[in-house]
């Protein structure tokens, strides 16, 4: 039988070069675990030497749009196949030249957030012993689910590389189950986090302005809270014009450095200023058992919400090249370990040092940030307070880019799947402007959304603590009653129960304390 030589061609035109009389040739399977990414229109061609081999490969790809073919072992079973070029057109997979350093930058920037500043509040309910135990267990638990996701990203059995969380969940449990159980949590963790970042970034910008101007105001009529939200959103939208996830690696590095900076500065300022007079470490005593039960659930929710970033783990790993000999899980896991070593050096001192300094006097709203300004606003250096605020703002801007990227990717995929062409630059700009100012509208129109954070956040908890373990069981099929089978079933069921309990606690808090509903009146 005649042989054929396969040549990979990245061609930027509308159609590939073709030999006279040839129909559209089938595309060969690449040698790497990813589709070509350096070209906006990657195309492959086959150059025949003697007589071309007639291929039965269909002219339209049967590969779903959300997956990327792997080079092996499918290469042994299927000689030729077509590549779906959409991966090279979308922001997450447009560039595949990432490395472990980029993974560490993205993971660290996404993993440390303003939600970690309320960790000492959980200690007021759990106490020293149980607070440290629960924080340690949660840290190890979510680190394990990170490892699970990095190993599920690419399958050597069916030759598929999953580049998005929803895609992996849908491929595991079915598209309908994916829409019911994974779509809202993942979209909330992306869009909802961006809304929260606008609130935090805008409010902190106002505070930073007051510190710089000495509390008297640099102008006769300072900006309102809504106007500060708009300033922050405009800066985030401008920064969001960077084309893909790899292109914001430098932004993530700055965000990671500032996150480490403000966390470290906060606990150092709190510890060096000493404990407050009359500080107490006695647990908060509830009026009845019901209040105690939901108080414990609230504390567990605070610890669970302190860890984030699992909804973008597969997306970060998708920016890396991968092959049989050098799978992407190796540099990805190396980057995750480096990032979470630094995360642990931030969160544990922040929780322990903050609780030691403020005890039961730690403010429930704002945590460490509110405590520093409330108790040390006068005696602490204004330069230090201003630098902390500036770091919070920069980190919020950087994290906005990471959590917004899945939303950008989803919007552009709607266009590419319909038009079969990459999204033009002007439409990409429109999409990102619409998303940024849409989040601004939600932040201004529904300022009481933060009161529902516990309720809505409980729905998103399985993304971190349950779904990865359940997907591992479904995909890897470990031997029944083995260690991995028992561990993943235990963690999967435990994470699901935790989610249900946190939702119940959120409902109880809403009913017990009520919600001050005020549209278009942010505090």
């Amino acid at each position: 039988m005649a042989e054929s030589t396969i040549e990979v061609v990245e061609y930027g035109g509308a159609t590939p070069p073709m030999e006279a009389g040839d129909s559209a040739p089938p595309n060969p399977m690449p040698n790497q675990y990813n589709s070509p990414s350096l070209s906006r229109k990657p195309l492959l061609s086959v150059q025949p030497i003697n007589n071309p081999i007639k291929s039965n490969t269909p002219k339209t790809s049967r590969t779903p749009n959300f997956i990327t073919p792997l080079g092996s072992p499918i290469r042994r079973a299927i000689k030729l196949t077509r590549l779906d070029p959409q991966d090279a057109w979308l922001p997450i997979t447009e560039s595949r030249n990432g490395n472990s350093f980029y993974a560490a930058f993205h993971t660290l920037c996404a993993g440390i957030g303003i939600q970690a500043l309320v960790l000492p509040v959980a200690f007021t309910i759990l106490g020293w012993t149980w607070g440290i135990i629960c924080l340690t267990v949660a840290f190890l638990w979510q680190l394990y689910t990170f490892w699970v996701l990095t190993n599920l990203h690419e399958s050597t059995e069916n030759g598929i590389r999953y580049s998005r969380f929803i895609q992996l969940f849908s491929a595991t449990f079915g598209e309908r189950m994916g829409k019911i159980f994974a779509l809202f949590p993942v979209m909330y963790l992306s869009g909802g986090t961006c809304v929260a970042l606008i609130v935090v970034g805008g409010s902190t910008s106002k505070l930073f302005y007051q510190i710089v101007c000495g509390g008297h105001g640099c102008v006769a009529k300072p900006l309102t809270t809504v106007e500060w939200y708009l300033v922050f959103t405009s800066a985030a939208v401008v920064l969001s014009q960077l084309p893909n996830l790899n292109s914001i690696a430098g932004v993530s590095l700055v965000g990671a450095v500032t996150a480490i900076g403000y966390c470290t500065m906060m606990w150092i300022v709190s510890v060096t200023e000493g404990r407050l007079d009359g500080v107490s470490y006695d647990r908060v005593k509830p009026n009845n058992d019901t209040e105690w039960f939901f108080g414990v659930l609230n504390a567990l929710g605070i610890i669970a919400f302190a860890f984030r970033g699992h909804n973008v783990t597969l997306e970060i790993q998708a920016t890396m090249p991968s092959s049989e000999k050098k799978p992407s899980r190796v540099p990805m896991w190396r980057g995750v370990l480096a990032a979470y070593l630094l995360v642990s050096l931030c969160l544990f001192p922040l929780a322990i040092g903050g609780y030691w300094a403020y005890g039961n006097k730690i403010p429930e709203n704002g945590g460490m940030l509110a405590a520093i300004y409330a108790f040390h606003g006068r005696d602490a250096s204004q330069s230090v307070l201003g630098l902390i605020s500036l770091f919070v703002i920069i980190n919020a801007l950087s994290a906005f880019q990471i959590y917004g990227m899945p939303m950008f990717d989803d919007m552009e995929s709607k266009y590419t799947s319909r038009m079969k062409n990459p999204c033009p630059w002007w439409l990409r700009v429109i999409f990102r402007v619409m998303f940024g100012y849409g989040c601004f509208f939600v932040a201004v129109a529904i300022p009481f959304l933060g009161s529902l954070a516990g309720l809505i956040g409980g729905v998103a908890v399985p993304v971190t603590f349950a779904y990865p373990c359940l997907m591992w069981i479904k995909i890897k099929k470990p031997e029944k009653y083995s260690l991995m089978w028992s561990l993943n079933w235990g963690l999967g069921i435990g994470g699901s129960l935790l989610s249900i309990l946190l939702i119940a606690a959120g409902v109880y808090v809403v009913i017990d304390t009520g919600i001050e509903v005020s549209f278009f009146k942010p505090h």
Side-chain angles (χ1 to χ4, degrees), residues 6 24-29 42-46 57 79-85:
I6 298 174
N27 290 337
M29 179 65 70
L43 299 169
L44 304 179
S45 66
V46 178
T57 305
K79 296 293 183 181
L80 299 175
T81 188
R82 276 188 179 277
L83 284 176
D84 185 344

Side-chain angles (χ1 to χ4, degrees), residues 241-283:
Q241 301 310 314
L242 293 171
N244 53 62
L245 191 55
N246 260 343
S247 66
I248 64 170
V251 176
S252 296
L253 173 59
V254 174
V257 171
T258 52
I260 296 173
Y262 74 70
C263 286
T264 304
M265 292 174 68
M266 281 185 185
W267 72 260
I268 288 179
V269 168
S270 300
V271 171
T272 54
E273 292 291 337
R275 290 187 294 181
L276 299 179
D277 295 333
V279 67
S280 173
Y281 303 115
D282 295 332
R283 297 183 187 179

Side-chain angles (χ1 to χ4, degrees), residues 10 32 34-42 87-89 93-97 244 246 318-319 321:
E10 289 187 350
Q32 287 190 329
N34 55 283
S35 61
S37 60
L38 300 181
S39 172
R40 294 284 289 183
K41 276 181 172 290
D87 267 355
W89 296 341
T93 49
E94 186 178 57
S95 172
R96 293 205 189 258
N97 60 354
N244 53 62
N246 260 343
T319 64

Side-chain angles (χ1 to χ4, degrees), residues 30-230:
N31 290 328
Q32 287 190 329
Y33 280 0
N34 55 283
S35 61
S37 60
L38 300 181
S39 172
R40 294 284 289 183
K41 276 181 172 290
L43 299 169
L44 304 179
S45 66
V46 178
Q47 295 182 351
I49 294 178
N50 297 318
N51 296 324
I53 301 175
K54 184 177 180 181
S55 174
N56 294 324
T57 305
K59 292 184 178 180
T60 58
S61 174
R62 295 181 181 178
T63 306
N65 290 337
F66 58 77
I67 57 180
T68 306
L70 293 179
S72 178
I74 281 189
R75 190 170 61 239
R76 293 190 292 268
I78 304 176
K79 296 293 183 181
L80 299 175
T81 188
R82 276 188 179 277
L83 284 176
D84 185 344
Q86 281 202 65
D87 267 355
W89 296 341
L90 298 177
I92 289 175
T93 49
E94 186 178 57
S95 172
R96 293 205 189 258
N97 60 354
N99 52 51
S100 57
F101 292 100
Y102 285 13
F105 300 158
H106 293 315
T107 305
L108 189 55
C109 183
I112 301 180
I114 201 73
Q115 76 284 351
L117 301 182
V118 295
L119 279 174
V121 177
F123 279 54
T124 64
I125 301 171
L126 300 174
W128 279 113
T129 303
W130 283 108
I132 294 175
I133 290 176
C134 291
L135 182 59
T136 304
V137 170
F139 178 82
L140 296 176
W141 189 346
Q142 61 86 37
L143 187 62
Y144 171 73
T145 55
F146 255 118
W147 178 83
V148 169
L149 287 175
T150 57
N151 281 271
L152 293 179
H153 172 74
E154 50 203 7
S155 172
T156 56
E157 296 179 359
N158 58 16
I160 294 175
R161 185 177 184 184
Y162 302 97
S163 300
R164 294 156 188 88
F165 190 96
I166 296 178
Q167 297 162 2
L168 176 60
F169 191 94
S170 298
T172 305
F173 299 109
E175 186 175 352
R176 183 178 180 183
M177 295 289 285
K179 291 180 178 179
I180 295 174
F181 292 103
L183 183 61
F184 174 76
V186 172
M187 291 297 102
Y188 168 75
L189 287 172
S190 295
T193 300
C194 289
V195 172
L197 290 170
I198 289 176
V199 174
V200 171
S203 303
T204 311
S205 298
K206 182 179 180 180
L207 187 62
F208 176 72
Y209 169 82
Q210 293 172 348
I211 293 174
V212 171
C213 295
H216 303 294
C218 299
V219 295
K221 188 178 180 180
L223 299 179
T224 64
T225 301
V226 174
E227 290 170 335
W228 279 115
Y229 286 2
L230 185 59

